[in-house]
Amino acid sequence: MRRWLVAALLVAGGWPAATHAQMRTVTMSRRLEDEDEVRVSVQYGAGRFSVRSMDTGLLYRMNLEYDEDHYEPVAEYEGHRLDVGIESIRGGIGRRSQEGARFDLQLARGVPMDLDLEFGAVRADVDLGGLALMGLDLSTGASESTIDVSEPNTNGMELARFEVGAAEFTARHLGNLNAERIEIDAGVGSLTLWLDGEWRADARVAIDMGLGRLELRVPEGLGLQLRKDSFLTSLDSEGLVKLGDTYQSLNWAGAARKVTVDLDAAFGSVKVVWVR
């Protein structure tokens, strides 16, 4: 069963309420040494969550405010692998409601990294701009998340993956990921995907969506091809021409950069919006 089904059930049941939490604030970091590449794994259950790049001679710095009666921070580095986040004292990453909890993470600019982000019932503000990503795997549960790639990725990657549960999810500047393929597996909620940014080559975006609303924001000048395999999903295809089983932008043949979107959707709506 896909994670988003589990997330939807958890939303329906709700999280246990935290009472009389004893909040603690900690700051942890590690100096940047001879890392030529690093694998970074981040896990966080509930609260406010942010990620940014930094250029301070540190591999990472995290500021964490958490309920010390139920959680403890994680910060482990071994064999070019960094694991940071929070876990329940009883084990696991912990998804108990944490009013006032937050996790702010900064990662070194320019260090090649394979980044794995997993977070649950959070309000997430993630900016991957400035990071040298070799790979990206982002998984979120019942969250309100904004993901931005405000600067082009200095590395190229074959695949960037997003697994989105019962969420309101916005991703900006996806072209800046410098990925050959982007895969988005979405469950229940609202997705807004901005296909702006610096596309250095033609790319493919595969979207597998359950129940919800999808809005594709496409910059003028980008060639867009949409291939739709859906059941009871409406499509607002302004600016696209239907050719057989595909839809293409008017500039498809002559566009300098082209993005093909493969959409597999069950129920909901799809809207294409052209932006300057």
Side-chain angles (χ1 to χ4, degrees):
M1 181 180 293
R2 294 190 299 182
R3 291 183 187 175
W4 65 262
L5 290 176
V6 177
L9 291 173
L10 289 172
V11 171
W15 306 114
T19 57
H20 307 293
Q22 182 64 40
M23 304 302 289
R24 182 181 180 186
T25 301
V26 299
T27 298
M28 297 182 177
S29 63
R30 178 183 176 88
R31 290 186 60 82
L32 185 62
E33 296 179 350
D34 59 348
E35 288 84 5
D36 52 358
E37 65 179 62
V38 63
R39 178 173 179 81
V40 180
S41 178
V42 183
Q43 293 188 331
Y44 187 61
R48 290 182 176 270
F49 177 65
S50 71
V51 178
R52 294 286 186 275
S53 64
M54 65 174 177
D55 189 7
T56 61
L58 297 176
L59 175 60
Y60 80 94
R61 178 169 57 204
M62 71 176 189
N63 296 307
L64 183 64
E65 187 172 357
Y66 64 100
D67 177 0
E68 65 177 350
D69 291 333
H70 295 93
Y71 301 100
E72 59 185 6
V74 175
E76 300 176 354
Y77 183 78
E78 183 176 0
H80 296 279
R81 178 184 174 93
L82 173 66
D83 293 281
V84 295
I86 192 171
E87 67 179 9
S88 170
I89 293 176
R90 298 177 180 84
I93 67 174
R95 299 182 184 273
R96 180 187 177 93
S97 176
Q98 293 194 84
E99 183 177 355
R102 62 179 179 86
F103 179 25
D104 300 319
L105 176 66
Q106 293 176 290
L107 296 169
R109 298 173 66 96
V111 176
M113 66 179 60
D114 197 340
L115 181 59
D116 186 343
L117 298 173
E118 181 180 353
F119 47 91
V122 307
R123 178 169 293 181
D125 184 8
V126 175
D127 187 351
L128 303 175
L131 298 179
L133 297 175
M134 302 183 300
L136 174 65
D137 195 335
L138 184 150
S139 176
T140 176
S143 69
E144 180 182 335
S145 303
T146 299
I147 313 299
D148 196 1
V149 192
S150 60
E151 302 174 42
N153 179 17
T154 56
N155 273 350
M157 71 175 86
E158 293 184 6
L159 176 63
R161 295 186 66 253
F162 298 86
E163 188 169 359
V164 182
E168 181 176 338
F169 184 85
T170 299
R172 297 177 179 272
H173 300 105
L174 287 174
N176 285 343
L177 281 174
N178 196 13
E180 297 177 17
R181 181 177 175 85
I182 299 173
E183 294 182 358
I184 300 171
D185 188 355
V188 180
S190 174
L191 272 73
T192 303
L193 305 178
W194 290 72
L195 301 183
D196 53 350
E198 184 180 318
W199 296 94
R200 299 184 183 180
D202 296 345
R204 304 186 76 88
V205 178
I207 304 171
D208 187 350
M209 190 175 79
L211 172 63
R213 179 191 67 85
L214 169 65
E215 183 171 288
L216 295 174
R217 291 188 161 263
V218 187
E220 296 178 354
L222 182 68
L224 176 67
Q225 178 174 254
L226 176 62
R227 301 194 300 191
K228 177 172 169 281
D229 181 8
S230 60
F231 176 64
L232 297 181
T233 299
S234 65
L235 172 63
D236 183 346
S237 57
E238 181 181 356
L240 301 178
V241 177
K242 191 175 188 302
L243 298 171
D245 295 330
T246 69
Y247 297 80
Q248 291 182 351
S249 59
L250 298 175
N251 67 335
W252 174 257
R257 287 290 176 260
K258 301 177 181 180
V259 174
T260 297
V261 175
D262 295 305
L263 174 63
D264 186 352
F267 299 89
S269 64
V270 179
K271 183 177 183 180
V272 177
V273 179
W274 295 91
V275 295
R276 293 184 178 180

